[in-house]
Amino acid sequence: MAAALSPYTVAALRAAHAAGEIHRASFGKGIRIDYKGRNDPVTAADRAAEAAAIDILGSAFPDHAFLAEEGGRRGTGPATWLIDPLDGTFNYAHAIPWFAVSIALEREGRPVVGVILNTMYGEVYAAEAGQGAFAAALSGLPPRPEAWGDLAGWRRLRVSPTARLDQATLTTGFPHNVAETRVNLDHFTNLVTGAARVRLMGSAALNLAAVALGQTEGYWEVGPSAWDFAAGALIVVEAGGRATDLRGRPLDLYSRQMLATNGLIHDQVVAVLAAGHSGLG
């Protein structure tokens, strides 16, 4: 286990905190909602939070590239920051206090740092490849962000010990165009009858954090982008879980599909997913 969080993770924590402050400043205050497409909302807070996060990370690591939800790809370099500045925009725009910032650092196609901030709950989750996954209350961290890497204020995360699918809680989400494509409705039908329960929470990042926290046993989705799940996938794996594609193969950040579980039910979920067709290649 790491003795302290790396400068990369500390910078990501600072960036997430800055984005979260922008969320909080406008939350519940008559936010204007624009749409990038049908059922695909965006707000000024999405854009401002992304700019704040990129400013902090770009200043700390000027040779790094960025791939963010609102601004797309920017720059080239030895590593890429994957940023969802406001994961759960629909919830945010409708004053539902369940949304997050998700930031991951990718090297050679795999996440090596992951940070998720549950903005309104005030809790942050962080992981580094091979070093474990941790959670902390922002209020419990030192006042100086430079000291946030000290693990004294963090607790170690462990996934749930539940080993049976029929006793498990799963979460999922649907693409914005589900009314036309019907994508994931097959898997939802199959798994809602195979698992103990399925929940739709509206934030991929917080769905993944819930697996790492041991609150749920699994999350799957067809259609998410790398910035949606890269950080959460790493946090789940470092908490003792497993993250793959829907067929159980190694996770590809750019495949637009993913499955993360506590590991114990993983093969059972893959078997149920095999009975559907959405996203299975």
Side-chain angles (χ1 to χ4, degrees), residues 2-261:
L5 298 172
S6 74
Y8 299 110
T9 305
V10 173
L13 289 167
R14 290 174 51 221
H17 179 261
E21 288 297 291
I22 291 170
H23 298 174
R24 295 176 67 88
S26 299
F27 180 70
K29 297 180 179 178
I31 299 162
R32 173 181 167 178
I33 308 171
D34 297 318
Y35 286 87
K36 296 178 283 186
R38 179 177 176 180
N39 297 322
D40 191 4
V42 63
T43 70
D46 291 78
R47 300 186 179 103
E50 181 171 298
I54 290 175
D55 183 62
I56 288 171
L57 294 169
S59 295
F61 309 106
D63 61 332
H64 287 186
F66 294 89
L67 178 60
E69 179 170 11
E70 306 309 330
R73 187 170 291 277
R74 171 175 147 184
T76 60
T80 300
W81 290 99
L82 306 173
I83 302 172
D84 190 337
L86 206 174
D87 184 57
T89 298
F90 183 92
N91 288 350
Y92 177 79
H94 292 82
I96 300 169
W98 195 250
F99 47 87
V101 186
S102 180
I103 299 175
L105 180 63
E106 175 223 310
R107 291 185 186 273
E108 298 180 349
R110 67 185 189 93
V112 295
V113 166
V115 165
I116 294 170
L117 170 64
N118 183 328
T119 302
M120 301 308 288
Y121 194 65
E123 190 161 70
V124 66
Y125 317 107
E128 297 175 8
Q131 301 298 326
F134 307 91
L138 282 176
S139 60
L141 294 177
R144 292 176 52 252
E146 295 79 7
W148 288 353
D150 182 353
L151 285 174
W154 296 78
R155 70 182 189 275
R156 185 73 180 259
L157 295 184
R158 297 285 187 188
V159 295
S160 160
T162 298
R164 289 177 47 176
L165 180 57
D166 62 359
Q167 296 177 349
T169 300
L170 306 179
T171 58
T172 190
F174 293 96
H176 302 298
N177 62 350
V178 64
E180 295 82 28
T181 65
R182 319 297 286 178
V183 165
N184 200 32
L185 291 176
D186 51 348
H187 300 318
F188 180 83
T189 299
N190 293 336
L191 281 164
V192 80
T193 55
R197 61 200 66 83
V198 176
R199 298 288 184 258
L200 302 173
M201 309 292 282
S203 168
L206 294 181
N207 285 341
L208 287 159
V211 178
L213 286 159
Q215 297 169 338
T216 63
E217 283 69 46
Y219 158 75
W220 88 93
E221 192 160 347
V222 182
S225 297
W227 53 70
D228 292 309
F229 66 83
L234 178 63
I235 293 169
V236 168
V237 169
E238 291 298 320
R242 188 175 169 193
T244 70
D245 74 0
L246 300 184
R247 289 197 179 277
R249 301 171 297 200
L251 184 63
D252 178 350
L253 293 181
Y254 301 97
S255 68
R256 305 298 299 267
Q257 58 161 287
M258 70 96 55
L259 166 66
T261 74

